[in-house]
Amino acid sequence: MPAAVRAARRIVVPRRHAFDEPLLLQSGARLVDYELAYETYGTLNADRSNAVLVCHALNASHHVAGLHILDDGTEDAGWWDNMVGPGKPVDTDRFFVLGVNNPGSCFGSTGPSTIDPATGRPYGASFPVVTVEDWVDAQARLADVLGIERFAAVMGGSLGGMQALAWSTRYPERVAHCVSIASTAKLSAQNIAFNDVARQAILTDPDFRGGDFQAVGVVPRNGLRVARMIGHITYLSDDDMAEKFGRTLKADDLAFGYGAEFEIESYLRYQGDKFSAYFDANSYLLITKALDYFDPAAAFDGSLTRALAAATASFLIVSFTTDWRFAPERSREVVKALLDNRHPVTYAEIDAPHGHDAFLLDDARYHRLVAAYFDRIHVAIVAARAAA
Amino acid sequence: MPAAVRAARRIVVPRRHAFDEPLLLQSGARLVDYELAYETYGTLNADRSNAVLVCHALNASHHVAGLHILDDGTEDAGWWDNMVGPGKPVDTDRFFVLGVNNPGSCFGSTGPSTIDPATGRPYGASFPVVTVEDWVDAQARLADVLGIERFAAVMGGSLGGMQALAWSTRYPERVAHCVSIASTAKLSAQNIAFNDVARQAILTDPDFRGGDFQAVGVVPRNGLRVARMIGHITYLSDDDMAEKFGRTLKADDLAFGYGAEFEIESYLRYQGDKFSAYFDANSYLLITKALDYFDPAAAFDGSLTRALAAATASFLIVSFTTDWRFAPERSREVVKALLDNRHPVTYAEIDAPHGHDAFLLDDARYHRLVAAYFDRIHVAIVAARAAA
């Protein structure tokens, strides 16, 4: 497809960068000879001041916006295409947006399903545990390669919002704005509990084979399926589920068996089946573990205020009223810690029915808010350029 | 052990009754040659007016109070021993209490793990799906055998509370008081979703063998374990879990692996392991299905008010503030429907931190409330006897 046609249709070609120097991980392990897959949207301006990094959550990737071509030749839209693009809240006519697949994931960057050059076989269980901070370090190295010294904004939702928060203190001089949506500064015991049950479903699936299933040509699909179903329940609000599915049956009468009988069963099983067909089980384990471990306050005797002291960015924190995975209360803890530090912060609690998933949906008030925030960033960039 | 010693130590000997006449089930199937295991506490008075039926929830049994001897010779207390016994809220010095193991369960009454006399092998997958209404019918037949025409009260928590509700309309003339605690008149989509994920974990465990695992000498322990872990999360409140476990690690440092690292992981896995060692997988499937199906309003175009119109009992409805499985809102729906019918109802919303599990715990305000309610029943019984 000619480049002009690709551009007109917003078809994005992912790129990869191979890193020679090992990445030292928080665990003490080293990631050697790794690659990062990424996509960019829009144009980096002359003074490189309009770059926005979008960090992805559990099952997403560097395919943030536009269309990308799947292995089977079909096209698929980026996971945040309603947020990022020409004329959208994060307007790629003004901003240069970068999406990076995190190492340990399974969409192109080095992860457990990648062939380990040292053995010629997939890393599998030998792939090291990575943390939110490790991802941020990897993203910073890619920014170096792309010549981006300082991001106009680092943003993300859920686990992506944790990465944005981590950027604000790990590389304070490199982040002008930190946008953390439907996120939290640490998982609760209940959050960890849900993650651990999901992991146990995978770890005890006989086809998991201690993590080296790929080498023997099997996939722990049953475990992954159950893991995803559990996760999915926590992404939706109770009310939204009641509204969408209620107690509606697929047939007129009760079946007195274990088929998918209620609509909600059918929906969840479908989500589980779909997920287990494309997601890597080891990646699921790694990424949920990164979620569990994230706790910037831990190094400061539990004080989130002290943990966020080093930040110099301005913050936009957004939560959704019916999100019970990372409830507004958790965002308010972050806002409180930012205010304690007198950091500039805008906080919005969006009244939305869709639970945690709301951060991915096209809600007018939510999108207007983000658009207004990014307009302000753009005006500041233009003003800085005029003053220079 | 001599009877006098047994009585003094409150050691209860379970009994069984074999029924010759088949039980017609809601599904249209028939339960033939079944037995019910039961226990009684206290003494039935001369006019048989002091009988209380206690209905059990998912993983409980007829072992309601006192001590019973396990297969290995050790003693175990009944699951509601803090509620039922001499001088306790349901005072067995005054009331004659009956606990019945429901058919389909796995503690003595006929269920999937019982040998089917027709084949000489365990029922397994061939055991029919049973409903709350089927259990109530089975309990009513046992009451006939014991000569109890009318219960002073039918009571239960959670799924037990559903049975109490079902009694109030299915056999209105046989229930003077209906006590339904931490319960609901129907499961929500989210409740069904959690049940279905748990079932999927069992059904997709290769050791489930289509339900006939017992015949080949295996047990789907991994599936049962995950099912129980999921269930257990929904029994505890978020706050209680935060309070008891928080983010506390078992060791000083992060392990960067998949062992039980946080206290909450260790606790949940232990609960899962323990449960999978004693509970029957087919019983788990059947009982969660009975939960999903319960919806007395369904036969009345969704009107719970009309569904409860036939009741003649007085009601005590209790909910707990932090119960998010069957939240107070669900009890209020029942209370509203009872009030619509001008049925006598006492409703209490107990401020307790322990989530759904609160109904099993020894909370002073909760127990005082139940004690006061049963005192009133006793006074009425004595007054009726004096007037006769």
Side-chain angles (χ1 to χ4, degrees), chain A residues 2-280:
Chain A
V5 175
R6 269 209 308 268
R9 298 202 43 227
R10 296 188 61 222
I11 291 180
V12 186
V13 179
R15 288 174 220 168
R16 308 168 62 79
H17 185 84
F19 293 81
D20 294 331
E21 202 181 325
L23 184 70
L24 181 64
L25 304 174
Q26 203 183 335
S27 65
R30 288 143 50 99
L31 199 56
V32 238
D33 292 330
Y34 66 99
E35 293 191 3
L36 294 183
Y38 66 97
E39 288 185 1
T40 66
Y41 322 89
T43 309
L44 189 61
N45 63 12
D47 57 0
R48 296 162 187 269
S49 60
N50 70 334
V52 173
L53 172 65
V54 172
C55 306
H56 70 77
L58 206 161
N59 68 322
S61 68
H62 53 303
H63 302 303
V64 175
L67 295 170
H68 56 279
I69 312 286
L70 300 177
D71 288 345
D72 64 3
T74 59
E75 295 169 2
D76 201 12
W79 57 271
W80 223 356
D81 192 51
N82 60 27
M83 178 67 87
V84 177
K88 300 193 179 174
V90 182
D91 187 347
T92 52
D93 290 337
R94 296 165 157 193
F95 293 99
F96 172 72
V97 176
L98 168 64
V100 188
N101 189 215
N102 289 326
S105 175
C106 51
F107 296 108
S109 291
T110 302
S113 52
T114 310
I115 301 296
D116 177 357
T119 64
R121 293 190 314 176
Y123 282 99
S126 73
F127 196 88
V129 169
V130 283
T131 65
V132 167
E133 288 77 8
D134 294 332
W135 288 333
V136 165
D137 288 350
Q139 293 157 3
R141 286 187 168 197
L142 183 65
D144 294 341
V145 170
L146 300 176
I148 302 163
E149 257 180 56
R150 177 178 162 90
F151 283 104
V154 176
M155 77 184 292
S158 191
L159 176 55
M162 294 179 181
Q163 294 161 59
L165 269 190
W167 262 95
S168 77
T169 54
R170 203 161 175 86
Y171 299 102
E173 71 290 353
R174 302 187 71 170
V175 189
H177 293 267
C178 169
V179 180
S180 181
I181 303 172
S183 193
T184 176
K186 62 168 189 268
L187 262 60
S188 69
Q190 191 189 67
N191 292 147
I192 296 172
F194 278 121
N195 278 348
D196 196 50
V197 182
R199 282 192 296 265
Q200 291 300 310
I202 294 171
L203 290 163
T204 61
D205 184 327
D207 284 338
F208 181 65
R209 308 280 181 112
D212 294 322
F213 52 89
Q214 220 177 328
V216 282
V218 294
V219 171
R221 286 194 65 154
N222 291 330
L224 257 173
R225 182 171 173 271
V226 165
R228 179 60 168 180
M229 289 174 77
I230 295 168
H232 210 90
I233 297 177
T234 71
Y235 304 152
L236 305 182
S237 75
D238 190 14
D239 283 353
D240 196 33
M241 233 187 226
E243 174 85 16
K244 273 192 196 137
F245 306 104
R247 297 180 49 85
T248 309
L249 293 166
K250 290 169 63 71
D252 285 341
D253 297 310
L254 298 182
F256 298 101
Y258 302 120
E261 196 169 5
F262 289 93
E263 292 283 1
I264 181 65
E265 294 175 310
S266 179
Y267 172 79
L268 271 188
R269 293 183 195 183
Y270 171 78
Q271 295 295 337
D273 287 337
K274 199 172 70 168
F275 186 76
S276 69
Y278 75 80
F279 208 84
D280 178 67

Side-chain angles (χ1 to χ4, degrees), chain A residues 26-28 127 129-131 186-194 196-197 199-201 203-206 208 222-223 225-227 229-230 233-234 236-239 241-242 245-247 249 254-262 264-266 268-269 282 285-289 291-295 324 329-330, chain B residues 26-28 127 129-131 186-194 196-197 199-201 203-206 208 222-223 225-227 229-230 233-234 236-239 241-242 245-247 249 254-262 264-266 268-269 282 285-289 291-295 324 329-330:
Chain A
Q26 203 183 335
S27 65
F127 196 88
V129 169
V130 283
T131 65
K186 62 168 189 268
L187 262 60
S188 69
Q190 191 189 67
N191 292 147
I192 296 172
F194 278 121
D196 196 50
V197 182
R199 282 192 296 265
Q200 291 300 310
L203 290 163
T204 61
D205 184 327
F208 181 65
N222 291 330
R225 182 171 173 271
V226 165
M229 289 174 77
I230 295 168
I233 297 177
T234 71
L236 305 182
S237 75
D238 190 14
D239 283 353
M241 233 187 226
F245 306 104
R247 297 180 49 85
L249 293 166
L254 298 182
F256 298 101
Y258 302 120
E261 196 169 5
F262 289 93
I264 181 65
E265 294 175 310
S266 179
L268 271 188
R269 293 183 195 183
N282 285 306
L285 298 177
L286 286 172
I287 298 174
T288 54
K289 206 69 190 169
L291 274 159
D292 291 359
Y293 280 163
F294 185 64
D295 185 7
W324 63 280
E329 197 186 351
R330 324 286 284 276
Chain B
Q26 205 183 334
S27 65
F127 196 88
V129 169
V130 282
T131 65
K186 62 168 188 267
L187 263 60
S188 69
Q190 191 188 68
N191 293 146
I192 295 172
F194 278 121
D196 195 50
V197 182
R199 282 192 296 264
Q200 290 300 310
L203 290 163
T204 62
D205 184 327
F208 181 66
N222 290 330
R225 182 171 173 271
V226 165
M229 289 174 78
I230 296 169
I233 296 177
T234 70
L236 305 182
S237 76
D238 190 14
D239 284 352
M241 234 187 224
F245 306 103
R247 296 180 50 83
L249 293 167
L254 298 181
F256 297 101
Y258 301 119
E261 196 168 4
F262 291 92
I264 180 65
E265 294 175 310
S266 181
L268 272 188
R269 293 184 195 182
N282 285 307
L285 298 176
L286 286 173
I287 298 173
T288 54
K289 206 69 190 169
L291 274 159
D292 290 0
Y293 280 163
F294 185 63
D295 184 7
W324 63 280
E329 196 186 350
R330 324 286 283 278

Side-chain angles (χ1 to χ4, degrees), chain B residues 324-339:
Chain B
W324 63 280
R325 184 179 173 84
F326 300 146
E329 196 186 350
R330 324 286 283 278
S331 281
R332 281 186 234 128
E333 289 164 5
V334 176
V335 172
K336 164 80 168 60
L338 292 170
L339 291 174

